[in-house]
Amino acid sequence: MTSQLYDTIVIGGGPAAAAAAVYTARKKLKTLLITDTFGGQSLVSSGIENWIGEPIITGAELARKLEDHVRAQEGVDIKMFEKVVGAIGKKDCTFEVTTDKDNSYHAKTLVIASGALRRRLKVPGEVEFDGKGVAFCSTCDAPLFQDQEVAVVGGGNAALETVIDLLAYARQVYLLWRDPIQADPVTEEKVRKASMVNIIGSVEVEEIMGDQSVTGVRYRDMKTSETRELTVSGVFVEIGSVPNSEFARDLVETNQNGEIAVDHKTGETSMEGVFAAGDVTTDPYKQNNIAAGDGVRAALSAYYYLLDTKKHSPCSIR
């Protein structure tokens, strides 16, 4: 419990949150960053090749650099190993954030950059080989599978776009889907025309197999109940993502998927004084570089909001 009033609280530890905290600090805003860990979804990546300025960097290295950059700023307090579980607006136009450690923190503005979690298959081998052949981002990891055989699990646009990304690298791509393909017709046509793509429908993945890394996938044919195996070096899971927005759904407007609705010019949410950035928002492009830019935008918007609070808020908290 703390009675200190911060200018802004940044929620999250990925590129969007780190960028926001760096910028609010440079604008001399008293900032608190709350995160369970730094790095975001890329923490488990063995090789990230599209983080601008780094030809290749591991997820762990990126996490360390993000944390180091934030810690180098004056005026930033960091609460690590805490997960935000609630956020409310108060009558005095400030905000209260509560965590799973039974702590509460107060601020004049919030920047929600809590990211998202990839939907999981929840089958044996998925956790064990995460980052060791199991992947969730083709833009990040497709080049790692040069001349290899790879499986993609999913039947939506994200899955088919992953297949297309892999065409430039993999020797053979297997598309495994449980439900009928639900993707843009143009995207589906491209996939079906690719000679190196083998589409296997109406199946349910039961296990991702491996030793030190992925060696194959076992699936069940839902029509015949027959179990089969594929020898592959990688499995891309593309069955959607879940935004980490539960704690804020009574505070700001979200869409049917739980993504926080934002003005993409400013990062503003439906609640004055609350801004959001990165994968937790309705931004369609879930990428580290874009998330970092979103974080900068949200931070600057929070700064200018505070400069003119009287215009925005009846409480005139400044």
Short mmCIF file of all heavy atoms in Angstrom, two decimals, residues 1 32 115 169 185 202 221 238 258 279:
data_model
loop_
_atom_site.label_atom_id
_atom_site.label_comp_id
_atom_site.label_asym_id
_atom_site.label_seq_id
_atom_site.Cartn_x
_atom_site.Cartn_y
_atom_site.Cartn_z
N MET A 1 0.85 -1.19 0.00
CA MET A 1 0.00 0.00 0.00
C MET A 1 0.89 1.24 0.00
O MET A 1 1.88 1.31 0.71
CB MET A 1 -0.91 0.00 1.22
CG MET A 1 -1.76 1.27 1.36
SD MET A 1 -3.12 1.34 0.18
CE MET A 1 -4.18 0.07 0.83
N LEU A 32 5.71 5.20 -12.35
CA LEU A 32 5.80 3.86 -11.77
C LEU A 32 5.52 2.85 -12.87
O LEU A 32 4.51 2.95 -13.57
CB LEU A 32 4.79 3.68 -10.64
CG LEU A 32 4.66 2.26 -10.08
CD1 LEU A 32 5.95 1.82 -9.39
CD2 LEU A 32 3.47 2.15 -9.13
N GLY A 115 0.20 -6.03 -22.95
CA GLY A 115 0.44 -7.05 -23.95
C GLY A 115 -0.66 -8.09 -24.07
O GLY A 115 -1.82 -7.86 -23.70
N TYR A 169 11.29 -19.68 -46.79
CA TYR A 169 12.34 -20.29 -45.98
C TYR A 169 12.23 -21.82 -45.91
O TYR A 169 13.19 -22.53 -46.19
CB TYR A 169 12.30 -19.72 -44.56
CG TYR A 169 12.42 -18.22 -44.51
CD1 TYR A 169 11.30 -17.41 -44.37
CD2 TYR A 169 13.67 -17.60 -44.62
CE1 TYR A 169 11.41 -16.03 -44.33
CE2 TYR A 169 13.79 -16.22 -44.58
CZ TYR A 169 12.66 -15.44 -44.44
OH TYR A 169 12.77 -14.08 -44.42
N PRO A 185 -10.33 -14.95 -48.81
CA PRO A 185 -10.24 -15.81 -49.99
C PRO A 185 -8.93 -15.67 -50.76
O PRO A 185 -8.37 -16.66 -51.23
CB PRO A 185 -11.43 -15.37 -50.85
CG PRO A 185 -12.43 -14.86 -49.86
CD PRO A 185 -11.59 -14.19 -48.80
N SER A 202 -9.45 -31.03 -40.62
CA SER A 202 -10.27 -31.81 -39.69
C SER A 202 -9.41 -32.69 -38.79
O SER A 202 -9.67 -33.89 -38.63
CB SER A 202 -11.28 -32.67 -40.47
OG SER A 202 -12.17 -31.85 -41.19
N ASP A 221 -7.04 -37.65 -36.68
CA ASP A 221 -8.01 -37.36 -37.72
C ASP A 221 -9.40 -37.41 -37.09
O ASP A 221 -9.83 -38.45 -36.58
CB ASP A 221 -7.89 -38.40 -38.84
CG ASP A 221 -8.76 -38.04 -40.04
OD1 ASP A 221 -9.95 -37.73 -39.84
OD2 ASP A 221 -8.26 -38.10 -41.18
N GLU A 238 -0.87 -20.82 -34.33
CA GLU A 238 -1.55 -19.58 -34.70
C GLU A 238 -3.06 -19.76 -34.54
O GLU A 238 -3.81 -19.87 -35.50
CB GLU A 238 -1.20 -19.20 -36.15
CG GLU A 238 0.20 -18.65 -36.32
CD GLU A 238 0.39 -17.28 -35.69
OE1 GLU A 238 -0.62 -16.70 -35.21
OE2 GLU A 238 1.53 -16.78 -35.68
N GLY A 258 -11.62 -8.48 -26.37
CA GLY A 258 -10.97 -7.98 -25.16
C GLY A 258 -9.86 -6.99 -25.42
O GLY A 258 -9.19 -6.54 -24.47
N ASP A 279 0.20 -4.69 -27.93
CA ASP A 279 -0.65 -5.83 -28.28
C ASP A 279 -1.95 -5.91 -27.51
O ASP A 279 -2.85 -6.66 -27.89
CB ASP A 279 0.13 -7.13 -28.07
CG ASP A 279 1.21 -7.34 -29.12
OD1 ASP A 279 1.43 -6.40 -29.93
OD2 ASP A 279 1.83 -8.41 -29.14
#
